[in-house]
Amino acid sequence: MADPTDEGASDPSRSRSQSGSFAARDNAAVQPAAFEELMVRYQRQVIGTALRLLGNRDDARDAAQEVFYRLYKHLGRLDPGHDPGRWLYRVTVNVCYDVRRKRTELPLAEGWEAGTEAPGWDASLDMEKRRDVLKRALRRLPEKERAAVVLREVEGLSTAEVAEALGSSEATVRSQVSMAKVKLRNWCAALLGRKS
Amino acid sequence: MNEREWEQWEGALRQLRDEPIDEALSAEVRAGVLARIRRERWQRWTVWGAAAAAVLVALGITMMSRAKEAPAVQQAANAPANSRVPDPPHVVRPAQPAVLTPVAKKAARRPRVVPARPRLAKEPMKIHMMTDDPGLVIIWLVGEDSEGGGE
């Protein structure tokens, strides 16, 4: 199934897929079945972001459901000239913050603490293992830095778009991303038993 | 960790975006949202339906009460004159207009009762009778118990 959100920000075909999503959006305001089509278009963006921000499946599911429900409620109020994807990023981040606040304590990355070396892992770690380590490291970041680095580095948004989604300035976003990357680098180096 | 190694980690970070989302999770999310939308729609329709039903019931009650009132008024207006209860003494009926338009309103109107003036029983009634002669006036006293007499 085609997913317009898989396309990069500079992809010229993005506008074409967006116009398709607008038609679906207009229809979705009336028909729940058409709204399901809209959810399929944006599920990777919303669920993926929620998973990386919250770090567990159940919370991500609850957050994604809340985000899509808000999308349904706000369909008529959204500017038809704009891609709802950016609006969805902002709502996803806010809902994830809310979900996190409802949890009294989030479990840290299980079985791994900074400074402890994972046996048998070295620089030749394959990508899958690296991604696993990074996902755990992301969960250790403060929530604002995590949101900034997830939107900027993982989702590939521009600094301005991240700033809009987070409701902060571009300078703040740059600072948060920079800080987050330093921490990630240190944790990964610690995992490998090397100095960064 | 040197720059080259960190670049590999950054590449892995960017690849997180391409990780497939569990289809079961996606389906669960969609089903949950649609169920919530349907539930909300159903609740909305229930509220509107209840409100509409309440309005209809109120309307029906109003119509029924008006329908009950109308025949009673109509009966009173159409009743024959001889079947009426005789008028009480000293009742002055208002002059009836030539055309009775709204039957119900006119029929519902109650006759105005004028209180009878107290009459002095012993004081005779005086009737002044003027004659051709301005100096001569005949005064006729009429009492209750007498036939009357001239003066």
Side-chain angles (χ1 to χ4, degrees):
Chain A
M1 188 175 295
D3 186 348
T5 58
D6 285 340
E7 297 157 5
S10 58
D11 191 339
S13 65
R14 192 170 178 176
S15 59
R16 188 175 62 246
S17 60
Q18 278 176 15
S19 63
S21 72
F22 294 146
R25 193 174 65 181
D26 293 341
N27 199 16
V30 185
Q31 296 294 335
F35 183 70
E36 186 170 12
E37 185 192 335
L38 199 61
M39 283 195 287
V40 170
R41 286 176 187 272
Y42 290 100
Q43 67 184 10
R44 191 218 59 77
Q45 172 188 327
V46 172
I47 299 173
T49 305
L51 270 172
R52 283 183 276 279
L53 292 181
L54 293 168
N56 75 77
R57 190 181 189 277
D58 289 345
D59 285 348
R61 180 201 58 212
D62 292 348
Q65 284 182 348
E66 177 63 26
V67 170
F68 282 125
Y69 183 70
R70 289 190 190 182
L71 173 65
Y72 180 78
K73 299 285 278 182
H74 285 78
L75 271 177
R77 277 176 269 173
L78 289 175
D79 184 356
H82 286 88
D83 178 18
R86 287 165 71 175
W87 181 87
L88 278 171
Y89 274 123
R90 190 166 66 240
V91 175
T92 305
V93 169
N94 289 334
V95 168
C96 287
Y97 285 170
D98 291 343
V99 169
R100 247 183 93 82
R101 281 184 203 111
K102 283 178 189 169
R103 304 283 182 268
T104 52
E105 190 179 343
L106 270 182
L108 290 175
E110 301 89 356
W112 179 70
E113 291 292 325
T116 59
E117 187 173 349
W121 288 12
D122 56 21
S124 62
L125 283 171
D126 62 30
M127 278 299 189
E128 192 177 344
K129 284 182 180 173
R130 284 179 201 270
R131 287 200 296 266
D132 187 47
V133 170
L134 282 166
K135 278 190 271 186
R136 292 180 175 207
L138 278 173
R139 292 170 63 181
R140 297 174 56 83
L141 288 171
E143 74 176 12
K144 300 225 169 184
E145 288 178 13
R146 187 188 322 152
V149 80
V150 163
L151 294 183
R152 180 75 184 90
E153 298 297 321
V154 180
E155 293 297 318
L157 300 185
S158 68
T159 304
E161 287 170 334
V162 177
E164 186 190 339
L166 299 182
S168 56
S169 67
E170 291 186 36
T172 306
V173 169
R174 271 193 287 271
S175 167
Q176 286 169 337
V177 170
S178 175
M179 294 273 287
K181 283 166 84 172
V182 168
K183 286 177 186 173
L184 289 175
R185 186 173 177 171
N186 287 341
W187 286 334
C188 293
L191 179 68
L192 296 172
R194 297 178 181 196
K195 289 184 179 178
S196 57
Chain B
M1 184 186 292
N2 59 34
E3 287 301 318
R4 185 184 168 84
E5 283 174 338
W6 175 238
E7 279 174 13
Q8 287 180 331
W9 283 94
E10 281 189 311
L13 186 63
R14 281 188 283 273
Q15 282 184 7
L16 285 177
R17 187 177 195 270
D18 302 327
E19 281 193 329
I21 302 295
D22 181 13
E23 185 49 40
L25 176 61
S26 307
E28 209 175 329
V29 168
R30 292 197 305 270
V33 174
L34 291 177
R36 195 171 165 185
I37 289 170
R38 289 195 181 102
R39 195 166 54 241
E40 191 227 294
R41 280 191 165 195
W42 172 247
Q43 283 172 349
R44 199 190 313 156
W45 279 111
T46 307
V47 169
W48 279 107
V55 168
L56 284 176
V57 166
L59 209 63
I61 288 171
T62 310
M63 298 280 280
M64 280 175 68
S65 63
R66 283 192 180 178
K68 276 182 185 173
E69 274 178 15
V73 169
Q74 193 71 35
Q75 273 180 355
N78 294 341
N82 56 5
S83 70
R84 286 186 188 172
V85 178
D87 292 338
H90 307 297
V91 170
V92 178
R93 294 194 152 272
Q96 294 284 333
V99 182
L100 296 174
T101 31
V103 177
K105 277 191 176 178
K106 291 293 177 189
R109 213 183 220 182
R110 292 194 171 186
R112 193 169 135 229
V113 177
V114 178
R117 283 184 185 173
R119 246 181 165 183
L120 294 174
K122 293 193 177 177
E123 190 179 340
M125 185 187 287
K126 279 184 182 179
I127 300 172
H128 293 248
M129 299 179 75
M130 309 303 288
T131 60
D132 294 335
D133 186 356
L136 181 62
V137 176
I138 299 168
I139 299 172
W140 194 0
L141 294 171
V142 183
E144 278 193 358
D145 52 350
S146 66
E147 290 294 316
E151 241 185 72

